[in-house]
Amino acid sequence: MINPKKPELLAPAGSFESLHAAIRGGADSIYFGVEQLNMRTKSIPPFTIDDIKEVAAVCKAAQIKANLTLNTVIYDYDMQLARKIVKTCVQEGIDAVIASDFAVFEICREEGMPLHISTQANVSNIDSVAFFSQMADVIVLARELTLKQIEGITKEIKRRGIKGKSGELMKIETFIHGALCMAVSGKCYLSLHEMNASANRGACVQNCRRPYLVTDLETGNELLIDNKYIMSPKDLCTIDFMDELIGAGIDVFKIEGRTKSADYVYTTTKCYREAIDSVLEGTYKEERIECWRKELDAVYNRGFWEGYYLGRKLGVWTKNPGSAATEKKIYVAKATRYYPKIHVAEFMLESGSIEEGETVMIIGRDTGADKVVLDPLMVNGVRNNKANRGDKITFYFERKIRTQDKLYKVVSENA
């Protein structure tokens, strides 16, 4: 094993809520996309070019890096927008652009924008790393590599002294958590073939997540294959072997999830932040791993497996198309006021009811995602054990919230 070094923790930011959640969770850097030239344009309302300035300012204030994904297939009519995005990134101080198209590589070179090579480039060997080192500083390796293969690449970078464009040794980035795609490094054509919606243009309709009935055209026999979604693998989770990942010499650990909610971003970032620090401090123990697993189980997931890292045969398929999270959020109220001198938040109940002692989650543009137990609970200015629709509730909350922030009741998925 290579001597352990502290890897950078890179978290997803698909919204301002998730951006603040990533910061609170302990991310060293975030990645986000703008307009239609990123791989998540269909799944979420994307940031705009005008948002780049605010994203950069928030990250600078938090002293973390901001990376922009520009990783779709680029057509001729995209070139003007792509150049505008890169120029804005340079102007606003974004740290790097993540891309896989050579046209974007050239734009970054011309504009003096630091470049990271996306996993869509499918870099799987040391010679490809050496080739891309002429134009980039970080490479996100193909997702299909084992830990042994990755360690071989990181060792060879050091042995050969392969330096990136900045003059420092090339850095290797890999995914550590989140959704996996059956296609090679996410380069899928199923959505395009079936729905004329290209996954490689950020428009995937995720038809691989659906159940399929297989029919023998000669006999007419139909088979529902083992009640599994055979094109939809379980989510990647590496919390059980973070020590091995760190030992493999990986420089950047990336969490998937720009389409996920702020509570997912906060929880995953927090767990992996703690796990990384724990490995380096020598406190990485089974009891702590079990606690992190429970926290990760609570937010969106489709079941977990360790991906390709440990060399297991593919075949770990999800058993249902939705989330297997052990907790769910139920919307109940919106923020109406915050009293900063006494740190009290006020919400108006718009749905259902809520009781003293229950756990709630506040999600907001500047708040991120934060859980709190309602104890005590003030209802319309008086302590009460229950509030109903139309009531105003107040409770202690350390951090400032904004009007219109949302309050969710957090309950067991089986509740």
Side-chain angles (χ1 to χ4, degrees):
M1 286 285 184
I2 292 172
N3 290 332
K5 57 183 176 181
K6 187 172 185 177
E8 178 183 323
L9 181 59
L10 175 61
S15 64
F16 281 108
E17 291 88 348
S18 292
L19 170 59
H20 286 280
I23 292 169
R24 288 198 58 245
D28 297 306
S29 55
I30 59 96
Y31 64 105
F32 70 108
V34 299
E35 308 295 343
Q36 68 266 31
L37 299 183
N38 75 93
M39 296 293 281
R40 295 295 183 268
T41 56
K42 187 176 180 66
S43 306
I44 54 172
F47 286 114
T48 67
I49 290 180
D50 293 337
D51 290 325
I52 293 175
K53 182 176 183 178
E54 184 175 353
V55 171
V58 170
C59 290
K60 284 186 177 71
Q63 297 183 316
I64 69 169
K65 299 177 187 176
N67 303 318
L68 183 136
T69 58
L70 194 56
N71 57 348
T72 61
V73 171
I74 302 292
Y75 295 138
D76 285 329
Y77 56 73
D78 296 319
M79 293 301 294
Q80 185 175 355
L81 176 58
R83 187 173 293 278
K84 183 178 180 181
I85 291 172
V86 172
K87 282 188 172 183
T88 304
C89 287
V90 173
Q91 178 183 329
E92 302 301 340
I94 295 299
D95 293 279
V97 162
I98 305 169
S100 59
D101 193 297
F102 278 84
V104 179
F105 297 172
E106 180 62 11
I107 292 173
C108 288
R109 185 192 67 80
E110 292 172 355
E111 301 296 336
M113 184 73 222
L115 173 68
H116 295 180
I117 305 299
S118 170
T119 192
Q120 272 74 37
N122 196 34
V123 175
S124 306
N125 59 74
I126 189 62
D127 289 331
S128 292
V129 171
F131 171 79
F132 283 117
S133 68
Q134 304 169 63
M135 57 193 83
D137 296 309
V138 178
I139 290 180
V140 190
L141 292 179
R143 301 188 194 192
E144 296 72 38
L145 298 180
T146 65
L147 266 180
K148 186 176 181 180
Q149 290 173 309
I150 293 169
E151 185 176 351
I153 289 172
T154 60
K155 281 183 175 179
E156 196 65 7
I157 287 173
K158 285 189 173 182
R159 191 187 74 81
R160 295 191 191 183
I162 299 175
K163 296 180 179 180
K165 197 172 181 197
S166 67
E168 297 182 359
L169 283 177
M170 281 296 293
K171 292 184 177 180
I172 293 300
E173 179 178 315
T174 65
F175 283 88
I176 58 169
H177 193 90
L180 286 171
C181 179
M182 63 172 287
V184 174
S185 288
K187 297 174 76 171
C188 178
Y189 293 91
L190 183 62
S191 180
L192 177 66
H193 176 71
E194 292 293 322
M195 302 292 184
N196 197 31
S198 175
N200 302 303
R201 292 279 293 175
C204 181
V205 298
Q206 295 195 332
N207 40 340
C208 62
R209 307 295 194 217
R210 302 172 187 170
Y212 285 88
L213 193 67
V214 179
T215 303
D216 185 325
L217 294 181
E218 290 188 8
T219 66
N221 290 336
E222 294 181 338
L223 302 172
L224 183 60
I225 300 183
D226 199 27
N227 295 317
K228 294 178 182 177
Y229 291 71
I230 62 168
M231 290 185 288
S232 181
K234 291 182 178 180
D235 287 356
L236 173 67
C237 179
T238 64
I239 204 78
D240 291 348
F241 53 100
M242 288 304 300
D243 52 346
E244 294 184 57
L245 283 162
I246 291 174
I250 300 165
D251 300 281
V252 185
F253 288 161
K254 186 173 190 174
I255 298 170
E256 185 276 337
R258 278 185 293 134
T259 65
K260 306 296 196 309
S261 63
D263 57 308
Y264 167 93
V265 174
Y266 172 73
T267 299
T268 54
T269 305
K270 170 184 170 292
C271 288
Y272 282 99
R273 170 80 284 148
E274 292 175 358
I276 291 168
D277 293 345
S278 178
V279 171
L280 298 176
E281 292 165 0
T283 59
Y284 184 72
K285 307 293 182 183
E286 186 60 40
E287 310 85 71
R288 300 197 71 184
I289 294 171
E290 185 62 30
C291 289
W292 293 319
R293 278 297 292 259
K294 287 181 179 178
E295 290 186 64
L296 294 171
D297 280 337
V299 294
Y300 186 95
N301 71 85
R302 292 178 299 115
F304 292 128
W305 76 304
E306 70 275 11
Y308 303 92
Y309 286 123
L310 304 184
R312 279 185 63 184
K313 179 182 177 182
L314 182 60
V316 186
W317 310 108
T318 184
K319 294 183 178 180
N320 60 71
S323 175
T326 58
E327 291 182 351
K328 63 181 177 181
K329 307 188 299 292
I330 301 173
Y331 174 74
V332 290
K334 71 176 179 182
T336 51
R337 194 171 178 182
Y338 184 74
Y339 299 89
K341 290 184 179 180
I342 57 175
H343 300 291
V344 167
E346 178 186 271
F347 284 82
M348 171 71 76
L349 258 69
E350 295 190 325
S351 176
S353 63
I354 201 158
E355 297 182 11
E356 187 172 84
E358 289 189 308
T359 299
V360 295
M361 178 178 292
I362 300 171
I363 295 180
R365 192 179 188 279
D366 295 336
T367 310
D370 209 343
K371 285 183 179 179
V372 63
V373 177
L374 297 180
D375 187 14
L377 173 65
M378 304 297 289
V379 182
N380 300 321
V382 179
R383 183 166 183 175
N384 205 325
N385 62 2
K386 187 174 183 179
N388 297 300
R389 182 179 177 183
D391 288 336
K392 279 190 176 180
I393 64 170
T394 52
F395 54 89
Y396 181 83
F397 190 69
E398 182 66 34
R399 297 189 304 117
K400 184 179 179 180
I401 62 171
R402 291 168 55 124
T403 302
Q404 304 299 316
D405 279 5
K406 295 179 179 180
L407 184 76
Y408 298 84
K409 184 159 58 173
V410 180
V411 299
S412 168
E413 178 60 38
N414 299 321

